[in-house]
Amino acid sequence: MIRASTYRLHPCTPARARKLHQLSGACRYVWNHFLANNRRRYKAWADTQRFCEDMLLGLVYERPEKPSVTFFSLGKAFTKLRAETDWLQDVSFTVVRYTLKRQADAWKRAFEHGGFPKFKSKRGNNGFTIPGNVRIKIGAVTGVRRLYVPKIGWCILSRSGGCPYDGAEAKQAVVKRVNGKWYCTVFYAVQEMATADNGLSVGIDRNVGQIALSTGWIIPLPDVSRLEARKRRYQRIMARRVEGSRRRRIARHRCAKASRKLVMVRKDWSHQTSRMITDAFGTVVMEDLNTQGMIRSAKGTADAPGTNVAAKAGLNRQILASAWSALRSNLEYKAVHFMGVDPKYTSQTCHACGVIAKRGRKSQSRFECPHCGYVGNADVNAALNILARGVGASGRGGSGIVRPVKRQRDMPVGGLAAVNLST
């Protein structure tokens, strides 16, 4: 298996920092240079094809071939460009050429699914990839981890908690500059370890701001209201300042820092929660939600304008901030068994008697079945239905009384693994 670990990269000297900027700029230049050439060639080929079809010249003259955008053809063109450009010879040939491997893959995806590759901006989070022969050494006495960047030298890697994959082979390293700081993600080839299935299963219902487990636990997302307020404040400051000014660049940098902090908080919650769940349960069942369809805009068209557009936009932002996709992707590779089920009527079905009660959900958190009288938490009821669909059990037999809902703050030390699940 391939597993990734992200480190903070320290150039250690101003000279190495300048060389990192030079290498990142060379990769950006090569990407934009070949993207412009390929777009121009492809447009000329498409225009020629259209002209031949309109004038029926394809019956007389041989049509030109489609421009090749494979890594092999782009690599040959890069070798010629590097021989003609002096400053490109000062940076690593292998690292810069691998940028065209990513562009070739992007063109392949564009021809299959649509969406052409875009140009890279100087203000973006630019970086480069060390494709192979990743050299990492650890000091025998100090324990300091270092990465060798071709034609630059050894740079220090630091990470809180150390590396979880010590001894594994490093296959690739991706270096990026984010908000003025350098980060490196190293991909390791890890031997897959067989994890024992403890025979326990859990259903998970994802909601805005929290998730509910079939065991009755409600796990909320961390409170990031202060970070979101800080981000909105810097966005307002940016809107008032002059484009291109130094004061606007400062506000933009601070806004980017707040945005990254938001992303890292949600990412950390996703990893911690998924690990806690997979340590306690061998089988995880979750809904197959069409998130892209759920966050589609309600604006409508000029002929048929939508209604409640502002409210739908706010709901879309909350769904995106709930990290649904990140949680699912983490559970998929951490769990021993993962299953996705059809989400239809999971929130409207009573898990005690199986009757679909459209009016059973009295509020956001309360479910009351009009058929059998079962009363409980609406999200936990949906999680129980999800579990029943996944494991093939009926999940029936509710007592018809209100079941206590367990919040994350009441969770014992050790997380879900410390709960007596037999009760």
Side-chain angles (χ1 to χ4, degrees), residues 317-386:
R317 287 193 296 269
Q318 291 180 347
I319 292 175
L320 291 173
S322 298
W324 288 358
S325 299
L327 178 64
R328 169 163 181 155
S329 62
N330 290 334
L331 287 171
E332 282 181 344
Y333 79 85
K334 292 180 182 179
V336 180
H337 303 292
F338 180 88
M339 288 184 287
V341 299
D342 188 2
K344 291 182 180 179
Y345 305 110
T346 54
S347 298
Q348 300 177 8
T349 303
C350 175
H351 90 278
C353 63
V355 174
I356 299 177
K358 295 184 178 180
R359 298 181 181 178
R361 190 156 190 166
K362 301 300 181 181
S363 65
Q364 184 65 28
S365 60
R366 180 180 175 85
F367 182 88
E368 182 176 346
C369 180
H371 183 262
C372 68
Y374 168 80
V375 179
N377 184 272
D379 298 331
V380 175
N381 175 73
L384 288 166
N385 291 325
I386 294 170

Side-chain angles (χ1 to χ4, degrees), residues 68-355:
S68 175
V69 287
T70 62
F71 179 48
F72 179 77
S73 59
L74 295 179
K76 290 177 59 178
F78 169 71
T79 303
K80 182 178 180 180
L81 175 66
R82 188 172 184 267
E84 299 172 351
T85 309
D86 295 337
W87 62 272
L88 280 179
Q89 301 175 11
D90 299 332
V91 294
S92 172
F93 171 82
T94 305
V95 172
V96 179
R97 186 185 61 170
Y98 194 78
T99 304
L100 299 176
K101 171 66 168 61
R102 295 189 177 277
Q103 186 170 137
D105 294 341
W107 278 106
K108 183 179 179 180
R109 291 192 299 269
F111 292 137
E112 292 177 354
H113 310 291
F116 289 98
K118 300 179 180 180
F119 291 97
K120 294 185 180 296
S121 170
K122 186 177 182 181
R123 296 194 306 179
N125 298 332
N126 295 300
F128 53 87
T129 301
I130 303 175
N133 192 22
V134 180
R135 298 168 57 186
I136 297 178
K137 66 179 183 180
I138 304 174
V141 179
T142 61
V144 177
R145 191 180 306 271
R146 297 175 183 271
L147 169 72
Y148 181 77
V149 183
K151 286 199 172 184
I152 294 179
W154 293 96
C155 300
I156 292 179
L157 299 176
S158 63
R159 183 181 184 272
S160 177
C163 176
Y165 309 114
D166 276 333
E169 180 185 1
K171 306 295 287 187
Q172 192 179 87
V174 179
V175 180
K176 283 189 177 182
R177 184 173 182 266
V178 182
N179 297 335
K181 299 178 181 179
W182 290 98
Y183 295 89
C184 178
T185 301
V186 182
F187 296 87
Y188 297 94
V190 182
Q191 183 178 3
E192 186 175 2
M193 303 296 293
T195 306
D197 187 358
N198 57 11
L200 299 176
S201 304
V202 65
I204 301 177
D205 179 54
R206 290 172 288 179
N207 303 281
V208 173
Q210 67 180 25
I211 63 171
L213 275 62
S214 57
T215 56
W217 291 100
I218 303 293
I219 305 178
L221 270 78
D223 185 13
V224 291
S225 56
R226 296 187 64 181
L227 283 173
E228 291 176 342
R230 184 187 305 174
K231 177 183 175 181
R232 291 193 299 267
R233 175 170 169 264
Y234 287 129
Q235 287 175 339
R236 292 193 298 268
I237 293 175
M238 286 175 56
R240 292 195 298 265
R241 292 183 176 176
V242 180
E243 179 73 27
S245 64
R246 178 177 176 273
R247 297 175 70 244
R248 191 178 189 278
R249 287 198 301 270
I250 293 175
R252 179 181 175 274
H253 177 71
R254 292 174 178 173
C255 181
K257 287 180 63 178
S259 299
R260 177 171 173 79
K261 181 68 174 178
L262 280 169
V263 172
M264 298 307 295
V265 167
R266 289 163 180 155
K267 182 178 180 181
D268 179 71
W269 175 87
S270 176
H271 275 288
Q272 298 285 354
T273 304
S274 59
R275 174 51 58 195
M276 182 173 59
I277 293 173
T278 53
D279 285 346
F281 302 96
T283 302
V284 178
V285 188
M286 187 176 284
E287 296 173 295
D288 279 328
L289 295 176
N290 182 13
T291 308
Q292 293 295 327
M294 295 176 65
I295 62 175
R296 188 174 293 115
S297 174
K299 186 179 296 184
T301 61
D303 298 333
T307 58
N308 298 327
V309 178
K312 183 61 169 66
L315 177 61
N316 293 345
R317 287 193 296 269
Q318 291 180 347
I319 292 175
L320 291 173
S322 298
W324 288 358
S325 299
L327 178 64
R328 169 163 181 155
S329 62
N330 290 334
L331 287 171
E332 282 181 344
Y333 79 85
K334 292 180 182 179
V336 180
H337 303 292
F338 180 88
M339 288 184 287
V341 299
D342 188 2
K344 291 182 180 179
Y345 305 110
T346 54
S347 298
Q348 300 177 8
T349 303
C350 175
H351 90 278
C353 63
V355 174

